[in-house]
Amino acid sequence: MATANDETSPKKARTDCTKKARIVVCGAGWWSQGWHLPHLHRNPNSEIAAIVEPNPAPKCVEGDSKTTDELRELYSVPVFRSMDDLLASEVARMVDGIIICTSHASHHEVGMKAMSAGWHILIEKPMTTDPFEAFELTKAASSYGKALMVNNSANFRQQSKRAHDLVRGGRIGEVKHVSCALFSPLAWLFHNPANVGWVKPTGTMLGNGFAWGQLSHTFAWVYLVTGLTPKSVFCHMSYSGTTGADIYDSATVRCTGGATISVQGIGDIPGSCKKVDNKIIGTEGMLLFSGDIVESTGSGENSCVSEGLVLQRHDGNNEKFPGFEFENFEKEGNGPESVQTLIAACLGQNIFNAADADVGCKTVVSIEAMYRSAKLGQEVEVRASESA
């Protein structure tokens, strides 16, 4: 068992003088308590500057949760009840970055306040659930001198950057079609009415469930790798009988320029593995990226069965890149690549922003259109910034 003097203790002494990225964690729920806070504390290049959480006893959808008093004691950091309280304090002057892991509908408000403070920003996915809020964040980020990233952790992994370079470098020619699927063993999450943030809409949301909760990863990956821009969506959804959350999603996206995207999402499969299957087809070949990821949030295990990243061309000049890397939800270590990229940005290092506001915005308008289409039973145009 760890003691206060043990190196594994959150209160362990820090004796080095190396500059550390001072990062605020806004929102102290499930993912913050299980991942962000311990990751930032363990990472030798970062430290927690403050926690912002209005609820003195935040709830976690899985496992035990700590009160904000317990978190203050555990990490020896100040806790603020609102962003306004933090911004009015002396602590705000010492902050380099922020991780926003509040409810979907609050991301825009917190993100705009963080930009006003001049901090590097990592927003939990989805960037927001309102297209017009997404447009505003994207416009502000375009002239912002700091990084604004969305925590689509899959995008920041090595194989995703490789896929981006291959497709953007023309190795499959002009992209004509994308087939992508994400199947997850998350019945325990989406069928439970107590998991309000995952199954019930808030703010201007038209619905909530697997599309916002998981397909946001898939869309962000596709838009990073291909650079496609969505134009219209036709979608069918089936819903949980206990929560009303969408569990089975199937959609076709038409993009500007004529390319199409076929998307499938299922949040109720047996077993412990998430199954990812992405295929990008172009005029000169195709890129395949698929595998199984063990999702064991209790132990943080991450393993897979995969063929890796495969490039197949009409001219036979094929390539295969072993290893499969999609989402990173490991509980141990110093944090996923997305968090480490935020830390690097805070320390003034050059970064590749694999899930910027533009990718985040395309994801938001695509998923919002899925919910509109499913309700109307017809193809709909994605929201356009000109109508904001």
Side-chain angles (χ1 to χ4, degrees), residues 171 284-286 311-320:
R171 295 300 306 279
E284 297 179 21
M286 62 182 179
L311 173 68
Q312 294 182 345
R313 290 176 47 86
H314 292 300
D315 62 9
N317 188 17
N318 305 329
E319 293 186 76
K320 185 174 181 179

Side-chain angles (χ1 to χ4, degrees), residues 23 25 31-46 99 101 122-125 149-158 160 217 293 300 302 325-345 351-352 354-355:
I23 297 174
V25 176
W31 212 256
S32 291
Q33 293 199 24
W35 283 263
H36 291 319
L37 288 168
H39 283 162
L40 289 175
H41 179 79
R42 281 193 298 262
N43 194 303
N45 297 314
S46 68
I99 298 178
C101 35
L122 179 65
I123 302 179
E124 270 299 341
K125 54 79 188 169
M149 307 181 294
V150 184
N151 193 26
N152 294 112
S153 61
N155 285 33
F156 291 86
R157 311 205 78 177
Q158 180 182 9
S160 297
H217 284 303
I293 308 176
N302 188 2
E325 299 176 3
F326 197 66
E327 286 181 74
N328 185 341
F329 38 70
E330 295 180 13
K331 297 190 74 169
E332 303 304 319
N334 296 331
E337 294 83 351
S338 53
V339 170
Q340 295 190 43
T341 301
L342 171 68
I343 293 170
I351 64 166
F352 175 68

Side-chain angles (χ1 to χ4, degrees), residues 360-378:
C361 187
K362 290 179 180 180
T363 299
V364 169
V365 298
S366 298
I367 297 177
E368 189 271 347
M370 285 178 62
Y371 284 100
R372 279 193 292 122
S373 174
K375 289 182 181 296
L376 294 172
Q378 64 186 41

Side-chain angles (χ1 to χ4, degrees), residues 109-263:
E109 179 184 358
V110 179
M112 294 300 291
K113 288 181 178 180
M115 276 195 273
S116 72
W119 302 336
H120 294 284
I121 302 167
L122 179 65
I123 302 179
E124 270 299 341
K125 54 79 188 169
M127 185 170 76
T128 178
T129 54
D130 185 305
F132 304 121
E133 292 180 351
F135 296 143
E136 186 173 3
L137 281 168
T138 303
K139 182 178 180 180
S142 67
S143 57
Y144 190 50
K146 303 291 179 67
L148 187 153
M149 307 181 294
V150 184
N151 193 26
N152 294 112
S153 61
N155 285 33
F156 291 86
R157 311 205 78 177
Q158 180 182 9
Q159 293 291 61
S160 297
K161 177 62 164 61
R162 189 188 298 274
H164 165 277
D165 292 346
L166 289 168
V167 174
R168 299 294 190 100
R171 295 300 306 279
I172 65 169
E174 181 184 356
V175 175
K176 290 295 187 180
H177 181 72
V178 178
S179 173
C180 49
L182 178 61
F183 303 154
S184 300
L186 293 175
W188 64 271
L189 182 64
F190 291 112
H191 287 303
N192 187 346
N195 299 328
V196 176
W198 293 82
V199 302
K200 295 297 181 183
T202 56
T204 61
M205 295 172 70
L206 297 179
N208 198 5
F210 191 80
W212 284 126
Q214 292 292 290
L215 283 181
S216 47
H217 284 303
T218 296
F219 275 115
W221 190 90
V222 168
Y223 291 135
L224 164 71
V225 174
T226 67
L228 293 174
T229 298
K231 181 180 180 183
S232 66
V233 176
F234 184 74
C235 178
H236 289 291
M237 289 181 171
S238 296
Y239 308 92
S240 167
T242 56
T243 66
D246 58 287
I247 301 293
Y248 301 90
D249 303 325
S250 178
T252 298
V253 181
R254 294 182 184 271
C255 299
T256 58
T260 52
I261 305 172
S262 175
V263 184

